[in-house]
Structure formats: C-alpha cells, structure tokens
C-alpha cells in the first residue's frame, strides 16, 4: 500500500487521540453541504461513517457579521432541501425566516415589484390593464398545465382538451412561448429571470449558453407557485436560514451523528492511501499520522485527487464555469419597510454587453447575520472571465448603493436618522468582489463532491449529491422518510411549520 499526498494538509503534528475503529464503510473529508448530506444519508442506510473536518482550526463564530461566501442563496419553501431537512430530522436544528420583501426587478433604470401571483398582479399599480390581463392569462394557462400534469391527465390527450401544454410548446425555447402569449418585454423579463430564474440572455436564442425550454421554465414556476403559502407565516416563495447557510451542513451532521457517524474536528487528511495493485484509493492518512481504511472515500472540492490512470465517469471540461460574487454591508434597505429582499438585474439592464442576470439578496439583522441598523447584500452572476464578471457586479453595486464609505462602520449609526431614511440609495459601508470556479463532483475510486454553483437554490447540488449516494449505496433509498430520529418533543416529525421561525 502506498500513499499519495493530498492538497489541503500540512498542519503541524499535535497530540491527537487515536480513532477506533480504524476501518469504516465511508470516510468523508470536509463538512460542506454535499458531504454533510451524504454523511447523513449513508449513516441512515446503515453504513459506518467517519466524517473529518479538514480545517486546521474551528474559530468561535462571530455573531456581529456572518458572511456566506457562496451567496446569494435561498431555499424555496417547497423544494427538496426543505423536504430533506424534515425527513432527516435536520428541521430540529435550523430555523428560517422568509424573504418578506419579495423580489424587485431592475428595468429601465428603476426597481419594480415582481408580480408573482394573482394577488400581486391585482395589487401592482405599475402595470397597465393589458399587461395585467395577459399576465393573468399566462399564469392561468401554466397553472392549468401544472394541475393536469399532477392529476395524471396524459391519458386524456394533449393540448387544451386536458389542460396540458402540447409537447411542441414544451420543447420550445421558453422565451418564444412567452412571445406567443403576447407578453411585453418587461413581463417576459419578470417570468424568465425573476420567477423561472434563467441566468443567460434568452433573447439571443442562437448564442445563448443555456437556453431555457418551456418545460424547464414551467417546472420552476410550479416550484415557485407551490412555495407561496406553504408556511402559514411565511411571505413569498423563499426562506433563508437564521445565522446563514452554514447552519444547513451542521443540521445534517447532527442527524448523521445521531445515526452513529463518528465526527473528528481539526483533523485534516495529509495523504490518500492507494492500493497499487487494484489501482484504487482505500483510505486516508490523518494529520495525527494514523491510517484509516475505508470502502469508499469522499473528498470536498478543495482536494486535488491524484490520477490513478483509471477512467472517470465525470465529463472533463477545459473551460471550468465561473461565477462572480460580491458581499456588501449597507446602511439601510433597498426597499423601504422591508428587511429581506431579492433584486434581479436581467441581461442588458446594466449595459448592452451584459449577457447574464445579476441577482442581489439583501438580508437584515432579523436573520442574525449583521448588527441592527445594518444590512448584508450578496450579489452573483455567471461569467466566462473574472474581468467581465466583476464588472457586472460592480455596476450593480453602483446602481443600488451610494459609494460614500465611512472608515468606521460604527460611524453610520449616528447618521442613520431621517436623512438616511429618506435617501434614495443605501450607503455602501464595505464591499468585496471576487470570482469562484465551479468544481463539479466526480465519480471514481474516490468521489469528489460538487461545490456550490451559480444557482440561487440547491437543486442541482442535491441532484449531484444523490448521484454520488447511488454510487455508494445503489440499492438504498436516499434519506427515507423513516430515517429521522425521534425526539421527545415531536408531535409530527414531518411538520413543515417546525422549520419556520416567526
């Protein structure tokens, strides 16, 4: 048996305790969300699991500011991530608040509320009567298709007779379908970028990197619509975890621990153990010098796995996807009397060269992510290069915020009086703009988990995570409903309201 160096090690030797046993079914390195969900799923499936935290130290959390480096990110009230929390018992360890300020669309130099429901359309004073009627008709058409599909109306035939859209319509580019519904450019932008969450300019059908079909658009609208009203006290379609998204991995780790997974903190892997005869990874060498063997090794994306000249199931791309992100601390809300708000800049709304949507999520102190009187704002947009991505993020920052910056964040509290409340733009107190490469999960003798991508939600990450679980446990259900541990206070372990904090 040989060992291969693993990037991410290099921590000084300490008096580490010996881990017993020394062999596990599954060993996971890294405590990101995919690794934590996998740990919970494998433990629920009866596997012996060792989960090691790879960082060299675990700092005490600061409750003044909590920054999510892969934001903005939200959960739909009705998406699978919420269901997994309920099924696994993670709902006992995390609370959420709604994005009660709704979504704003930047259009023609102004911010407009997104009419995402019949009630919102009716109340919207910025829409003309014709726009309201066409939007009403469109949502009615889509809802009829969703209802017919859910009822299994395929056998009754296609088209208007069954309420379902035809396959021809479903296979159309979504933007073409919207044009056939006579929606105005602004209303198309609302549907495409603020509800269906398209990232790339859909009007450039031939040049668009990711063209949304009607089938895909309707699927996201169905998720969006079913999210509105799922929680009695939640306003809108989106929720956000108290203290930030770092709470989600912790919730799944606790569930895994209840099911018997062993956790070791501050214990990075310094080498991967290789069976040279079988050409496969069989374990890790820890910073303590102890060797741990396993049937399946799972690593977070920060590890560069040396090639064993074995075929890999993951496609290879010479041009890794990138996403530009920004984090801002601001003095007031972009929407008066609202704490948490999503802002969408459609392609070409900031400049003609803009080919991707920019999304901004503003969060307040009611989520315990910043001190009272301040707000956090997260921005992101997919990009092909760092210069273009950062340029888009900085333009959005310039549009939303006044760049008058104080040297001391505390100074603004004295000035946050009537003058600030009446100002058009919040004051930018601090900002950071950066670019991340998106690393895909890979299959092989060592599995690599995906890192958070450019999407606002976790659907694609969970899909990749489920595929990895299938590689490990091909005959097991992924976090079945009976996998949640029983708590003495349980009245209903699947109660969705248990997640939501008023």
């Amino acid at each position: 048996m040989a060992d291969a160096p693993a990037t991410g090690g290099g921590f000084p030797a300490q008096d580490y305790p010996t881990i017993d046993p020394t062999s596990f079914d599954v060993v996971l390195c890294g405590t990101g969300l995919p690794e934590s969900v996998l740990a919970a799923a494998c433990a629920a499936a009866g596997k012996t699991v060792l989960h090691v935290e790879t960082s060299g130290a675990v700092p005490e959390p600061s409750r003044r500011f909590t920054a999510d480096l892969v934001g903005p990110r939200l959960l739909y009230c009705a998406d699978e991530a919420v269901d997994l929390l309920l099924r696994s018992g993670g709902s006992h360890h995390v609370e959420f608040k709604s994005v009660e300020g709704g979504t704003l669309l930047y259009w023609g130099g102004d911010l407009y509320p997104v009419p995402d429901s019949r009630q919102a359309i009716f109340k919207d004073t910025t829409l003309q009567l014709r726009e309201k009627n066409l939007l009403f008709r469109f949502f009615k058409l889509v809802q009829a298709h969703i209802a017919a599909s859910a009822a299994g109306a395929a056998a009754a035939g296609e088209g208007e007779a069954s309420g379902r859209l035809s396959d021809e319509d479903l296979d159309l580019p979504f933007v073409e379908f919207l044009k056939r519904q006579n929606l105005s450019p602004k209303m198309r932008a609302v549907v495409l970028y603020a509800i269906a969450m398209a990232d790339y300019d859909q009007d450039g059908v031939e040049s668009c990197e990711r063209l949304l079909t009607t089938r895909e658009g309707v699927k996201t609208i169905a998720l969006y619509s079913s999210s509105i009203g799922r929680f009695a006290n939640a306003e809108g379609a989106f929720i956000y975890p108290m203290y930030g998204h770092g709470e989600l991995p912790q919730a799944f780790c606790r569930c895994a621990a209840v099911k018997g997974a062993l956790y070791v903190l501050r214990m990075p892997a310094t080498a991967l153990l290789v069976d040279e005869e079988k050409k496969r990874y069989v374990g890790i060498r820890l910073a303590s010098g102890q060797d741990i063997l396993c049937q399946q090794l799972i690593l977070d994306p920060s590890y560069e796995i040396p090639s064993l000249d074995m075929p890999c199931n993951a496609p290879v791309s010479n041009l890794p996807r990138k996403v530009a992100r920004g984090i801002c601390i601001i003095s007031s809300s972009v929407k008066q009397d609202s704490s948490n708000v999503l802002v969408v800049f459609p392609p070409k709304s900031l400049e003609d060269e803009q080919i991707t949507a920019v999304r901004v999520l503003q969060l307040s102190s009611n989520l315990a992510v910043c001190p009272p009187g301040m707000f956090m704002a997260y921005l992101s947009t997919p990009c092909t290069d760092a210069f273009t991505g950062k340029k888009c993020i900085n333009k959005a920052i310039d549009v939303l915020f006044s760049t008058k910056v104080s040297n001391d964040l505390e100074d603004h509290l004295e000035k946050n009086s009537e003058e600030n409340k009446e100002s058009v733009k919040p004051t930018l107190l601090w900002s950071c703009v950066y670019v991340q490469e998106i690393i895909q999960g890979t299959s092989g003798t060592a599995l690599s988990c995906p890192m958070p991508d450019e999407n606002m939600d976790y659907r694609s990450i969970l899909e990749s995570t489920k595929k990895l679980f299938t590689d490990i446990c091909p005959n097991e259900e992924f976090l079945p409903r009976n996998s949640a541990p029983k708590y003495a206070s349980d009245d209903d372990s699947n109660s969705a309201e248990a997640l939501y904090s008023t």
Side-chain angles (χ1 to χ4, degrees), residues 15-218:
D15 293 328
Y16 292 109
T18 300
I19 295 173
D20 185 35
T22 59
S23 181
F24 295 82
D25 293 329
V26 180
V27 170
L28 301 103
C29 298
T31 49
L33 183 61
E35 296 87 4
S36 302
V37 172
L38 275 174
C42 290
K47 300 291 185 182
T48 56
V49 176
L50 172 66
H51 199 174
V52 297
E53 168 55 56
T54 57
S55 63
V58 181
E60 287 296 318
S62 168
R63 291 312 184 196
R64 283 186 59 78
F65 293 98
T66 301
D68 289 321
L69 297 180
V70 292
R73 198 164 291 274
L74 293 164
L75 285 87
Y76 291 92
C77 291
D79 75 7
E80 187 178 10
V82 173
D83 292 337
L84 287 179
L85 284 167
L86 293 168
R87 281 155 48 182
S88 66
S91 56
H92 292 271
H93 308 294
V94 62
E95 292 183 344
F96 294 85
K97 286 188 179 291
S98 64
V99 181
E100 93 296 339
T103 306
L104 301 176
L105 182 83
Y106 184 74
W107 190 263
D110 289 310
L111 292 172
Y112 295 92
V114 168
D116 54 6
S117 65
R118 293 179 64 87
Q119 183 180 13
I121 295 171
F122 180 77
K123 290 182 176 180
D124 196 326
T125 59
T126 67
L127 295 178
Q128 298 178 0
L129 181 60
R130 173 177 167 78
E131 286 181 313
K132 288 188 176 185
N133 288 335
L134 290 173
L135 205 53
F136 267 130
R137 188 183 306 169
F138 166 74
F139 279 124
K140 184 177 180 181
L141 180 68
V142 171
Q143 291 297 338
H145 169 81
I146 294 169
S149 299
E158 296 182 348
E160 294 182 358
S162 67
R164 298 181 75 248
L165 300 175
S166 68
D167 285 339
E168 180 184 354
D169 283 337
L170 291 172
D171 292 335
L172 271 178
F174 197 27
V175 64
E176 295 301 324
F177 180 76
L178 297 179
K179 288 177 180 178
R180 292 187 181 186
Q181 309 310 310
N182 297 315
L183 295 185
S184 66
K186 178 183 174 183
M187 290 301 99
R188 294 201 298 269
V190 164
V191 175
L192 286 169
Y193 306 108
I195 299 178
M197 296 297 173
D199 285 318
Y200 294 90
D201 185 5
Q202 301 295 299
D203 285 316
V205 174
E206 295 183 357
S207 60
C208 180
E209 183 171 332
R210 177 71 175 83
L211 191 64
L212 204 65
T213 65
T214 304
R215 192 184 309 274
E216 293 168 324
V218 167

